[in-house]
């Protein structure tokens, strides 16, 4: 029997899948599950890290078969597609025609419905906001209403409850959204090596307004005079007259290595992590390097390694992603980094990002004007709990919040303080949809 897990594989609570391929099948499949299990949940590509994609009943409706383009206007870049279509499949269709996703997270293996349910953001949040800002309308299946169309003007209450609503307001059936035009498939990228957080904030102040995409990798274990060091990476879509003519709108080759099996223990430990971080930081010898690169390694560096989540072993891992309000950004991030460095744990890919002030339309959308930090931690129950408690305290003292799509530990108290509109979601929740995350943070 096929069993599904979340991407972090923690908590390890296997889900039994029930597939749908067309909208008119949802009522029957969902009804059969609910007959014996009371509730269910929708499962897309399984890229939510924690328990927001896990049903309380362990019985999920899978939508990967709902992967069709329903309509597209290649003059305006408006596209209408079923919710199970992945970003990877969308790029294959749109990029050769000169259109790209308006917003994309760090993996293209997410479904369109999942992108809506988690209101994903990316390296261009400071200029484009979240994915939800580019949605024109949605079609939902609700167990109490059937198929419902919603937009900013039609059932707007349901529209904003669905964007970032963690898949609880109904089954997202189809999405219409606006693509962004591109002239080439390449990115003019510049990487600057920096020595600490003060320099990072100087770089964001100097370059964010001239570059659509900005992000930083940081050495999460560096201490003393090296604390907060890293690489600041910025980029813009290359213009047609700059890129080589033979690569103007070319899809990246499909090359993927893979982790073939689960190692018995995590390959990420203090020793390997410290060695990787030191080597990676010094890999770039010059202070600044500029080059023209393909879109694929720029946006999706980890997608080249299939099943990379297996490097954390059978126990899995948790991602800790927080956002800190702008006024306290530098001080709070320094405190958080200090706690992580002291713990000796952390991630080979620690990401720091300046978020903009564009307000997300969704009631539970994660980004706010400030600084976000994301790191992966191998699952060690006691060690993670102690560290996360200290980090949570730092985040909530300054009014920050954690990312539900990545979370597997947040307390109900902290969630409800950080997301005061959660009761509106609960009031509009489809009674047949219920996740382990929602149970944990609302009951």
């Amino acid at each position: 029997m096929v069993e599904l897990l979340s991407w972090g594989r923690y908590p390890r609570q296997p889900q039994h899948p029930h597939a749908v391929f067309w909208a008119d099948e949802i009522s029957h499949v969902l009804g059969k599950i609910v007959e014996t299990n009371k509730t269910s949940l929708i499962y897309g590509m399984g890229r939510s890290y924690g328990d927001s994609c896990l049903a309380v009943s362990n019985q999920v409706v899978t939508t990967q078969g709902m992967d069709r383009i329903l309509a597209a206007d290649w003059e305006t870049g408006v596209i209408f597609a079923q919710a199970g279509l992945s970003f990877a499949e969308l790029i294959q269709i749109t990029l050769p025609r000169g259109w790209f996703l308006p917003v994309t997270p760090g993996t293209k293996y997410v479904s369109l419905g999942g992108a809506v349910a988690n209101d994903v953001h990316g390296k261009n949040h400071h200029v484009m906001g979240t994915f939800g800002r580019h949605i024109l309308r949605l079609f939902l299946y609700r167990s109490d209403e059937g198929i419902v169309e919603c937009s900013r003007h039609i059932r707007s209450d349901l529209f904003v409850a669905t964007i970032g609503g963690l898949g609880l307001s109904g089954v997202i059936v189809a999405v219409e959204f606006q693509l962004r035009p591109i002239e080439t498939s390449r990115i003019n990228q510049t990487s600057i090596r920096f020595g600490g957080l003060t320099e990072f904030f100087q770089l964001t102040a100097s370059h964010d307004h001239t570059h659509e995409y900005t992000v930083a990798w940081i050495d999460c274990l560096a201490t003393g005079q090296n604390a907060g060091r890293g690489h600041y990476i910025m980029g813009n879509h290359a213009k047609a007259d700059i890129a080589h003519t033979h690569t103007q709108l070319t899809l990246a080759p499909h090359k993927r290595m893979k982790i073939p099996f689960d190692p018995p223990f995590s390959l990420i430990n203090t020793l390997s992590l410290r060695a990787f971080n030191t080597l990676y930081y010094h890999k770039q010898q010059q202070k600044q390097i500029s080059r023209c690169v393909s879109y694929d390694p720029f946006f999706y560096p980890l997608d080249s390694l299939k099943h990379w989540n297996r490097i954390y072993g059978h126990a899995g891992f948790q991602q800790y992603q927080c956002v800190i309000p702008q006024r306290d950004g530098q001080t709070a991030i320094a405190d958080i980094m200090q706690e992580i460095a002291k713990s000796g744990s952390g991630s080979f890919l620690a990401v720091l990002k300046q978020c903009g002030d564009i307000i997300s339309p969704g009631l539970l959308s994660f980004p706010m004007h400030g600084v976000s930090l994301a790191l992966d931690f191998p699952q060690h129950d006691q060690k993670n709990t102690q560290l996360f408690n200290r980090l949570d305290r730092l985040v909530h003292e300054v009014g920050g919040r954690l990312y539900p799509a990545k979370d597997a530990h947040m307390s109900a108290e902290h969630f409800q303080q950080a997301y005061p509109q959660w009761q509106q979601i609960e009031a509009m929740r489809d009674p047949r949809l219920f996740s382990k995350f929602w149970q944990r943070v609302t009951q």
Side-chain angles (χ1 to χ4, degrees):
M1 177 187 298
V2 175
E3 291 184 329
L4 304 172
L5 298 171
S6 62
W7 186 246
R9 305 198 296 175
Y10 176 84
R12 200 173 187 88
Q13 296 170 339
Q15 304 288 294
H16 181 68
H18 304 261
V20 293
F21 299 89
W22 294 97
D24 59 7
E25 298 172 348
I26 296 173
S27 174
H28 175 69
V29 173
L30 188 60
K32 285 196 68 175
I33 296 173
V34 172
E35 274 181 15
T36 53
N37 298 279
K38 295 184 180 177
T39 60
S40 180
L41 195 67
I42 308 307
Y43 188 102
M45 299 288 287
R47 288 299 180 122
S48 293
Y49 283 56
D51 54 0
S52 65
C53 64
L54 305 181
V56 169
S57 63
N58 296 329
Q59 306 290 320
V60 293
V61 178
T62 57
T63 57
Q64 289 189 35
M66 293 175 55
D67 58 354
R68 302 166 185 86
I69 299 283
L70 302 174
D73 185 334
W74 300 118
E75 294 296 321
T76 63
V78 173
I79 191 164
F80 184 43
Q82 287 184 311
L85 193 68
S86 72
F87 275 17
E89 293 166 320
L90 272 164
I91 291 170
Q92 292 284 318
I93 297 164
T94 64
L95 186 142
R97 293 175 167 87
W99 296 97
F100 197 69
L101 298 161
V103 170
T104 178
T107 174
K108 57 183 178 289
Y109 297 111
V110 297
S111 69
L112 183 54
V116 176
N118 294 291
D119 198 13
V120 297
H121 63 282
K123 298 180 177 72
N124 61 352
H125 181 267
H126 58 291
V127 293
M128 296 290 274
T130 63
F131 187 75
R133 290 189 64 249
H134 307 277
I135 297 171
L136 304 176
R137 59 176 178 151
L138 297 164
F139 285 84
L140 285 179
Y141 169 81
R142 283 186 61 90
S143 62
D144 52 359
E145 296 185 63
I147 299 289
V148 181
E149 179 182 356
C150 55
S151 69
R152 294 176 189 274
H153 309 294
I154 303 170
R155 294 294 305 271
S156 59
D157 55 340
L158 196 53
F159 186 68
V160 298
T162 301
I163 296 173
L166 303 174
L168 298 168
S169 61
V171 181
I172 301 172
V173 173
V175 183
E176 185 176 75
F177 67 101
Q178 176 69 56
L179 296 163
R180 74 172 320 286
I182 54 172
E183 295 182 18
T184 80
S185 55
R186 298 178 70 80
I187 303 291
N188 287 323
Q189 170 186 296
T190 296
S191 177
I192 302 175
R193 200 172 70 174
F194 60 87
L197 287 178
T198 299
E199 192 176 349
F200 164 78
F201 282 96
Q202 291 171 345
L203 287 168
T204 64
S206 299
H207 298 291
D208 278 14
H209 67 285
T210 57
H211 291 80
E212 177 170 348
Y213 303 104
T214 63
V215 73
W217 168 85
I218 52 173
D219 180 352
C220 60
L221 292 185
T223 57
Q225 62 180 7
N226 293 325
R229 68 182 182 180
H231 297 168
Y232 175 81
I233 301 162
M234 53 188 173
N236 285 317
H237 289 280
K239 300 293 184 184
D241 59 340
I242 295 175
H244 299 296
T245 54
H246 67 283
T247 58
Q248 286 194 348
L249 286 171
T250 305
L251 291 167
H254 188 71
K255 294 180 181 177
R256 297 186 76 190
M257 298 176 63
K258 70 176 183 179
I259 307 291
F261 58 88
D262 291 2
F265 51 82
S266 172
L267 303 179
I268 305 297
N269 54 50
T270 303
L271 203 60
S272 64
L273 194 58
R274 198 175 297 282
F276 172 86
N277 281 9
T278 300
L279 287 171
Y280 191 82
Y281 178 74
H282 290 288
K283 178 183 176 185
Q284 179 174 317
Q285 297 296 315
Q286 299 102 318
K287 174 72 174 175
Q288 178 171 327
I289 293 178
S290 296
R291 54 184 177 156
C292 194
V293 300
S294 168
Y295 71 93
D296 207 58
F298 180 81
F299 289 112
Y300 313 114
L302 284 179
D303 282 350
S304 61
L305 186 60
K306 190 175 181 181
H307 300 312
W308 65 260
N309 53 343
R310 289 177 175 170
I311 64 176
Y312 289 95
H314 183 79
F317 70 102
Q318 291 192 59
Q319 182 168 107
Y320 192 94
Q321 183 164 4
C322 63
V323 60
I324 304 297
Q326 187 70 12
R327 64 180 182 279
D328 296 304
Q330 185 167 345
T331 303
I333 292 293
D335 292 342
I336 291 169
M337 293 300 300
Q338 187 175 21
E339 286 291 344
I340 293 170
K342 280 165 50 181
S343 76
S345 187
S347 171
F348 66 94
L349 193 68
V351 176
L352 196 59
K353 162 71 186 156
Q354 176 72 53
C355 294
D357 59 1
I358 302 172
I359 297 174
S360 303
L363 299 179
L364 289 187
S365 295
F366 163 71
M368 67 167 73
H369 188 204
V371 188
S372 74
L373 174 67
L375 303 99
D376 298 334
F377 294 89
Q379 181 56 31
H380 299 292
D381 290 346
Q382 186 175 2
K383 190 175 182 180
N384 285 7
T385 299
Q386 291 173 349
L387 175 61
F388 290 177
N389 284 341
R390 295 197 296 273
L391 300 184
D392 287 354
R393 191 161 50 247
L394 293 170
V395 170
H396 291 282
E397 279 178 355
V398 296
R401 60 194 183 205
L402 306 182
Y403 193 2
K406 305 290 183 69
D407 183 70
H409 81 279
M410 190 179 352
S411 71
E413 177 188 2
H414 283 166
F415 172 76
Q416 293 175 21
Q417 287 176 357
Y419 295 94
Q421 293 174 297
W422 72 272
Q423 292 187 21
Q424 289 176 249
I425 298 292
E426 174 60 16
M428 301 194 69
R429 180 169 65 84
D430 187 308
R432 292 187 170 187
L433 302 177
F434 200 26
S435 69
K436 292 182 186 292
F437 171 85
W438 199 248
Q439 182 183 50
R440 175 164 57 85
V441 299
T442 64
Q443 295 187 353

